[in-house]
């Protein structure tokens, strides 16, 4: 089946710095990537949908200037958390449609971001 | 708006049956998914319903009523390893087929 590789799996950064999270589709072309955020003991919240070669579509309430999404190729989508603050500490996870299966979505393994 | 509600927490006994409910009010609908998630890990696919009725898959079954905006996940012969979060998610009817997740249910299986 399809595999999405997400890196890093965890990162600790200082307040005010930026962090980039990468999701690569290893054996298929991901034209669309979904980015989610999950706070402890809460569910996945969709942040944005990225499409290869075009601007991302952000969900209501998500700051597009703070969470920069780039989907420059069919195999790579990145999320950059800019000027990170402790309240940005969360679990970030990407997902894409697995067109090889009728009802398949493939998830990355997630990134635990801690801002200190 | 999108509202997908689940009970926050449930507790059940090993070997028993538990039903986790999900109610939804969404602008579009193109199927409902159930996932299992352990803390710090990616969700794992359990089941999918797009038509009304029951889908059975081993110890797990899922039911959907589109007219009522309602689904449930039924777990039989509970095992300790079933302790996890269970998430229902609605696929919207738009071009991107994005998944909107419910509030999630943390299930604790006790001996």
């Amino acid at each position: 089946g399809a595999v999405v590789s997400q890196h890093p799996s965890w990162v600790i950064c200082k307040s005010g710095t930026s962090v980039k999270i990468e999701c690569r589709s290893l054996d298929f072309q991901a034209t669309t990537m979904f980015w989610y955020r999950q706070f402890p003991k809460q569910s996945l919240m969709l942040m944005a949908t990225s499409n290869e070669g075009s601007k991302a579509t952000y969900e209501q309430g998500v700051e597009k200037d703070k969470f920069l999404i780039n989907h420059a190729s069919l195999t790579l989508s990145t999320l950059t958390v800019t000027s990170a603050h402790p309240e940005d500490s969360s679990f970030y996870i990407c997902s894409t449609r697995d067109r090889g299966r009728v009802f398949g979505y493939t998830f990355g393994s997630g990134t635990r971001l801690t801002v200190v | 708006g999108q509202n997908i509600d689940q009970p926050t927490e449930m507790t059940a006994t090993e070997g028993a049956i538990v039903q986790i409910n999900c109610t939804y009010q969404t602008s579009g609908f193109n199927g409902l998914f159930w996932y299992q998630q352990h803390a710090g890990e990616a969700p794992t696919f359990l089941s999918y319903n797009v038509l009304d009725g029951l889908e059975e898959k081993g110890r797990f079954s899922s039911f959907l009523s589109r007219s009522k905006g309602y689904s449930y996940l039924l777990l039989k012969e509970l095992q300790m390893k079933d302790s996890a979060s269970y998430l229902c998610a609605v696929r919207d009817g738009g071009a991107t087929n994005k998944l909107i997740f419910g509030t999630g249910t943390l299930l604790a299986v006790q001996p």
Side-chain angles (χ1 to χ4, degrees):
Chain A
V3 176
V4 174
S5 176
Q6 183 170 349
H7 292 282
S9 55
W10 61 270
V11 58
I12 301 173
C13 71
K14 293 183 178 180
S15 289
T17 61
S18 296
V19 173
K20 180 185 285 187
I21 300 170
E22 293 187 350
C23 278
R24 293 181 183 273
S25 54
L26 298 186
D27 50 2
F28 67 104
Q29 295 180 330
T31 56
T32 301
M33 192 73 75
F34 305 103
W35 287 94
Y36 294 88
R37 177 170 56 183
Q38 186 175 34
F39 292 109
K41 297 188 179 181
Q42 295 188 23
S43 189
L44 278 71
M45 186 197 79
L46 181 65
M47 300 174 66
T49 302
S50 73
N51 295 289
E52 185 270 334
S54 63
K55 291 183 179 180
T57 302
Y58 289 81
E59 296 296 307
Q60 191 173 7
V62 178
E63 300 175 59
K64 62 181 181 180
D65 294 331
K66 180 169 183 62
F67 300 99
L68 301 179
I69 291 174
N70 184 281
H71 196 153
S73 76
L74 288 170
T75 59
L76 175 64
S77 178
T78 62
L79 166 67
T80 301
V81 182
T82 63
S83 187
H85 288 93
E87 56 265 32
D88 298 323
S89 298
S90 187
F91 187 65
Y92 294 86
I93 191 164
C94 60
S95 174
T96 187
R97 283 286 309 280
D98 178 0
R99 297 185 181 276
R101 293 182 291 164
V102 174
F103 41 79
Y105 288 82
T106 300
F107 289 85
S109 53
T111 298
R112 170 72 59 194
L113 170 63
T114 302
V115 184
V116 298
Chain B
Q2 316 273 42
N3 291 302
I4 306 174
D5 295 315
Q6 302 176 235
T8 305
E9 296 181 354
M10 299 184 70
T11 302
T13 304
E14 191 175 17
I17 299 172
V18 70
Q19 176 175 314
I20 302 174
N21 296 324
C22 172
T23 57
Y24 64 90
Q25 288 181 305
T26 56
S27 55
F29 180 86
N30 189 20
L32 187 143
F33 295 73
W34 282 96
Y35 288 89
Q36 180 192 65
Q37 187 186 28
H38 289 97
E41 298 181 7
T44 302
F45 170 78
L46 293 178
S47 69
Y48 169 71
N49 297 71
V50 66
L51 300 176
D52 291 352
L54 187 68
E55 292 285 339
E56 297 187 83
K57 195 176 179 182
R59 294 192 299 118
F60 298 87
S61 303
S62 57
F63 172 82
L64 175 67
S65 169
R66 289 172 296 170
S67 62
K68 296 181 179 179
Y70 168 69
S71 175
Y72 68 71
L73 178 71
L74 197 69
L75 291 78
K76 305 174 186 175
E77 302 171 12
L78 280 173
Q79 302 174 10
M80 298 298 291
K81 67 178 183 179
D82 296 328
S83 294
S85 289
Y86 291 86
L87 312 174
C88 69
V90 170
R91 178 165 62 189
D92 79 358
T96 60
N97 283 303
K98 61 186 179 183
L99 275 183
I100 307 298
F101 282 84
T103 49
T105 300
L106 181 61
L107 174 66
V109 180
Q110 297 178 340

